[in-house]
Amino acid sequence: MNTETLLLRLRAELEEGGLRGSFLVRDLRTGYEAGIDPELEFPCASLVKIPLAAATLERIRRGELDGSAPIDVQPGRATAPGPTGLTRFRHPARVAVDDLLYLTMAISDETAADTLFELTSPAEVTRMTRGWGVHGITARHPAGDLSDTPAERFEPTDVHLAHALAISAGTTGQGHPVPQLDITRASSGSARAFVGLLEALWKPSGIDDSVSGRVRELMGLNLLRQRLSPDFVSDATKWSSKTGTLLNLRHEVGVVEHADGQAFAIAALTESRVPAAIQPEAEVLMARVARTLRDHLRAR
């Protein structure tokens, strides 16, 4: 099947499944790529924690921060479903900067991420990312904002109403009354932008080798593996990734490394038109589209 026919089929599958998405898969050895609307910008939710981790590690490398320094962290005391780690703690904790990085990346802990954002602001994270030659990703707000949406104001039985609002209230220019869904106010990026960041982390680039190596390690420790992971993990592959979830948005970006030396950067950013919080079918569909694109490139 040629690329054009394949993309038409995949677009139809996404439409039938109630998803719109920005997908891109790039062969990191050859540069060949295939995607669906890879320039389409989305609020990136927790994907912003990748450049946050890289910026924090760069400042540690420069000696501006001490990775072993303990920081007193106030408890998040979250009670709604979703948040993890320190965000759910009931009591203060003392955690080293290096360990905050682990919590931020491995379990997407928002309180850990916001403690790092207090050290390196969203504006500085954006500036450093662009300084590495990676464009199209903008950090604009703390991670804690991701747990302060209309969904947290509804009872669990009514959370579908928050998703209905997320789906119906957007504008054609991707504005939204929910600030975390408005690409001019939310942290944002496209599949192409995140694949560019992944390539800079996996290949020689403006990012120092020690920084990129540690970010790769942290992404390999990601424990949230319900989305793309089932289609990319095996005894002959290594999958390193980061997820992002916000209301009707489901994202994941990562790199799959094969035992034969091939490696593919993959970004899947999606929004659902189905007003439901739990959508395993959407997870399966976005993973199938991403894997089909990878398989198409691998067969070249």
Side-chain angles (χ1 to χ4, degrees), residues 96-111:
V97 172
D98 278 335
D99 295 327
L100 289 169
L101 280 164
Y102 167 74
L103 293 172
T104 295
M105 295 294 287
I107 62 173
S108 208
D109 186 330
E110 287 160 10
T111 295

Side-chain angles (χ1 to χ4, degrees), residues 62-111:
R62 294 177 186 172
E64 299 170 5
L65 297 174
D66 180 356
S68 66
I71 296 181
D72 292 325
V73 182
Q74 294 304 307
R77 296 196 176 97
T79 57
T84 58
L86 296 167
T87 309
R88 304 196 78 87
F89 274 30
R90 297 183 178 183
H91 308 286
R94 178 167 289 184
V95 186
V97 172
D98 278 335
D99 295 327
L100 289 169
L101 280 164
Y102 167 74
L103 293 172
T104 295
M105 295 294 287
I107 62 173
S108 208
D109 186 330
E110 287 160 10
T111 295

Side-chain angles (χ1 to χ4, degrees), residues 28-47:
L28 292 180
R29 289 199 304 184
T30 66
Y32 292 136
E33 61 182 37
I36 298 171
D37 295 329
E39 316 288 351
L40 186 61
E41 192 172 2
F42 280 95
C44 63
S46 288
L47 298 184

Side-chain angles (χ1 to χ4, degrees), residues 183-217:
I183 62 165
T184 66
R185 293 184 286 172
S187 297
S188 62
S190 65
R192 182 169 300 283
F194 276 98
V195 164
L197 175 59
L198 294 173
E199 183 166 10
L201 290 167
W202 258 260
K203 296 179 68 176
S205 71
I207 304 175
D208 186 83
D209 289 346
S210 65
V211 171
S212 58
R214 178 58 176 156
V215 176
R216 294 196 301 270
E217 180 182 7

Side-chain angles (χ1 to χ4, degrees), residues 69-227:
I71 296 181
D72 292 325
V73 182
Q74 294 304 307
R77 296 196 176 97
T79 57
T84 58
L86 296 167
T87 309
R88 304 196 78 87
F89 274 30
R90 297 183 178 183
H91 308 286
R94 178 167 289 184
V95 186
V97 172
D98 278 335
D99 295 327
L100 289 169
L101 280 164
Y102 167 74
L103 293 172
T104 295
M105 295 294 287
I107 62 173
S108 208
D109 186 330
E110 287 160 10
T111 295
D114 276 346
T115 305
L116 296 178
F117 268 134
E118 290 174 5
L119 299 174
T120 307
S121 70
E124 180 64 7
V125 169
T126 300
R127 188 195 67 77
M128 292 176 68
T129 303
R130 291 176 182 168
W132 291 322
V134 177
H135 299 279
I137 298 171
T138 304
R140 291 191 173 96
H141 57 77
D145 288 0
L146 303 176
S147 295
D148 185 21
T149 72
E152 284 71 47
R153 288 143 175 81
F154 287 98
E155 294 297 323
T157 54
D158 294 326
V159 73
H160 65 282
L161 298 175
H163 287 259
L165 171 65
I167 294 164
S168 63
T171 69
T172 55
Q174 290 186 276
H176 206 287
V178 177
Q180 298 93 326
L181 296 177
D182 185 328
I183 62 165
T184 66
R185 293 184 286 172
S187 297
S188 62
S190 65
R192 182 169 300 283
F194 276 98
V195 164
L197 175 59
L198 294 173
E199 183 166 10
L201 290 167
W202 258 260
K203 296 179 68 176
S205 71
I207 304 175
D208 186 83
D209 289 346
S210 65
V211 171
S212 58
R214 178 58 176 156
V215 176
R216 294 196 301 270
E217 180 182 7
L218 289 167
M219 291 179 68
L221 296 172
N222 179 20
L223 296 176
L224 303 179
R225 294 185 165 251
Q226 79 280 10
R227 196 158 287 165

